[in-house]
């Protein structure tokens, strides 16, 4: 189903993100936050959901001792960009991603 495919793609995107976090002791993280990998973006042609962006930001916050800077640099679909920014900003302000996404998008 399209929903299952989207969930699988988001999970793959999140899992490919985790090796970068690895055992490194980060004092802070500066992220070039392009949302062209987001669902509905015509250039990236990927299916990363806004919930997935929120989960990745959540994990960055824990690894980088809460010191995360996201610099918007891309995205070509205004809806995709705004939903991604909303999800990331919500986490940066202290909200937690929906627990269902934390369970389904756990690091390997």
């Amino acid at each position: 189903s399209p929903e299952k495919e989207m969930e699988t793609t988001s999970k793959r995107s999140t899992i490919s993100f985790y090796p970068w976090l690895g055992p490194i002791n980060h004092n802070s993280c500066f992220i070039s936050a392009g949302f062209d990998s987001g669902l509905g973006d015509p250039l990236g042609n990927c299916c990363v959901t806004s919930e997935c962006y929120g989960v990745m930001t959540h994990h960055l916050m824990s690894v980088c001792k809460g010191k995360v800077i996201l610099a918007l640099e891309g995205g070509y679909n205004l809806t995709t960009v705004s939903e991604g920014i909303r999800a990331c900003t919500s986490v940066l302000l202290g909200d937690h991603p929906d627990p269902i996404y934390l369970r389904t998008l756990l690091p390997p």
Side-chain angles (χ1 to χ4, degrees):
S1 74
E3 293 82 15
K4 184 69 175 167
E5 183 179 330
M6 182 174 61
E7 179 184 320
T8 301
T9 303
S10 279
K11 188 170 186 172
R12 257 192 242 122
S13 300
T14 305
I15 288 170
S16 67
F17 162 82
Y18 288 111
W20 174 82
L21 296 176
I24 299 169
N25 185 12
H26 302 280
N27 290 320
S28 62
C29 296
F30 186 93
I31 306 299
S32 177
F35 294 96
D36 45 345
S37 60
L39 179 65
D41 189 277
L43 189 63
N45 199 25
C46 297
C47 296
V48 179
T49 63
S50 57
E51 293 84 4
C52 182
Y53 286 123
V55 169
M56 289 190 282
T57 303
H58 174 78
H59 289 296
L60 278 172
M61 294 287 288
S62 65
V63 170
C64 300
K65 302 175 183 158
K67 299 175 183 173
V68 175
I69 298 168
L70 298 176
L72 178 60
E73 59 81 22
Y76 303 92
N77 178 306
L78 293 179
T79 301
T80 301
V81 171
S82 62
E83 289 175 359
I85 290 170
R86 179 207 43 80
C88 293
T89 302
S90 175
V91 171
L92 289 173
L93 292 173
D95 293 335
H96 293 283
D98 187 322
I100 190 140
Y101 292 103
L102 287 176
R103 284 194 305 274
T104 58
L105 299 175
L106 288 173

